[in-house]
Amino acid sequence: MAEIILHHYSLSTFSEKVRVALGLKGLAWRSVDIPAAPPRPLLAPLTGGYRRVPVLQVGADIYCDTHLILPTLERLFPPPKTPSFYPAGSEGIARGLSFAWDRAMWIPTIGVLAHFIGDNFPPEFVKDRKEGYLGIDISKGAMAPELPMHLQQLHAQNAWLKTALADGRRFLFGDAPSELDLTCYQTLCLMRKNCPPEVDTLAGLVPLLPWYDRVTALGHGRPEPMTEQAAFDVACEAQPVAPTHLQADGDPDGLRAGSSVTITPDDNARVPVSGTLVAASDSEIVIHRRDSRAGDLQIHFPRLGFAVTAA
């Protein structure tokens, strides 16, 4: 199998989820540091224009969104060879609650982050997030009036997390960490790594810190730096691998392999990606694209959180 390549940047909370996932599995991987905002001239051809981060690359196969990247790592590096993201049969619950947590916590977490460090956001970053990604102004001045509401939302979400851990368990499903632990950790990590210590009290994080430290201790695996050009060259020189874990005509909505489809995130950064359907299930869809520079590519998306339409 080709090397694991992760396109990410340090401030990206969703990238942190994948970095810790790679740590949990103890994997070696290539780290491609990309800009926090487009243009990304060597990544965009690989993703068909999809602009969210992180992106996982394995040869000429491109995996988008953490809700597919983690199940993909589980499939490529299954237990017992590596620790599972889904201990004690928790996959369905862990994946469903991870999606709900991400949707609920993303904006309020940014609100708290902006309260503390929003004055340091570069203007071009703020402009991009307003016009091309979130559709809202994340500058400190714009977010300040919403801080009380954002804190209410964080306290309410963290309340169930505290309840789940109140019996002294090490992680949410017992002694072993899961995808849900990594998901809940990522948003707390964004605040704790970038805000002053008082964020722990302000956001009600203090009771969660022993659990937080256990997740932090998983580390990031064994990353090795890689340039954007080198990652692009890998894709150019590789061929996509047939997705044997999916059926060619397994789409639950009746789309057939070989048909033209468009895939678009249904919440933010709604950049459509078009291609030819290769295979699908109720949890994943794979399309083929031929890029004039990168050659043949397969781009993988989760079904949850994305709209798929016939082109």
Side-chain angles (χ1 to χ4, degrees), residues 43-264:
L43 180 59
L46 302 185
T47 64
Y50 173 82
R51 56 150 296 164
R52 302 201 303 199
V53 175
V55 170
L56 187 77
Q57 176 187 349
V58 183
D61 281 271
I62 311 299
Y63 297 88
C64 301
D65 197 277
T66 61
H67 296 292
L68 179 63
I69 290 173
L70 266 65
T72 296
L73 291 173
E74 183 82 349
R75 175 173 58 82
L76 296 178
F77 303 94
K81 293 182 179 180
T82 67
S84 177
F85 296 140
Y86 309 108
S90 62
E91 182 170 1
I93 295 173
R95 291 180 67 177
L97 288 180
S98 289
F99 183 82
W101 179 275
D102 281 344
R103 287 287 174 105
M105 290 288 276
W106 184 215
I107 296 301
T109 299
I110 292 174
V112 173
L113 190 70
H115 170 74
F116 284 107
I117 66 169
D119 287 340
N120 298 326
F121 292 158
E124 60 274 17
F125 179 78
V126 174
K127 182 176 186 291
D128 172 74
R129 275 6 188 208
K130 181 177 181 180
E131 297 179 359
Y133 198 153
L134 298 172
I136 61 173
D137 186 342
I138 65 168
S139 65
K140 181 173 181 176
M143 297 292 275
E146 300 298 321
L147 180 64
M149 180 58 68
H150 291 154
L151 288 172
Q152 287 183 37
Q153 293 168 332
L154 291 183
H155 290 152
Q157 282 290 111
N158 287 333
W160 77 258
L161 186 56
K162 295 171 190 176
T163 300
L165 296 166
D167 61 1
R169 66 182 65 196
R170 290 177 54 79
F171 299 101
L172 289 169
F173 290 104
D175 291 334
S178 70
E179 176 178 341
L180 185 57
D181 290 277
L182 308 188
T183 298
C184 296
Y185 169 85
Q186 61 156 337
T187 48
L188 277 59
C189 181
L190 181 67
M191 291 185 287
R192 299 197 76 234
K193 286 183 68 174
N194 297 285
C195 300
E198 55 260 39
V199 74
D200 289 343
T201 300
L202 183 69
L205 306 182
V206 174
L208 297 171
L209 296 186
W211 163 83
Y212 178 94
D213 289 341
R214 287 191 286 273
V215 180
T216 301
L218 298 173
H220 289 166
R222 304 189 305 280
E224 292 289 339
M226 188 181 213
T227 66
E228 294 178 79
Q229 184 64 59
F232 185 80
D233 291 343
V234 166
C236 294
E237 295 164 6
Q239 285 295 313
V241 176
T244 55
H245 64 292
L246 299 174
Q247 297 180 8
D249 290 320
D251 180 74
D253 300 307
L255 293 171
R256 310 289 292 180
S259 59
S260 296
V261 297
T262 298
I263 302 174
T264 309

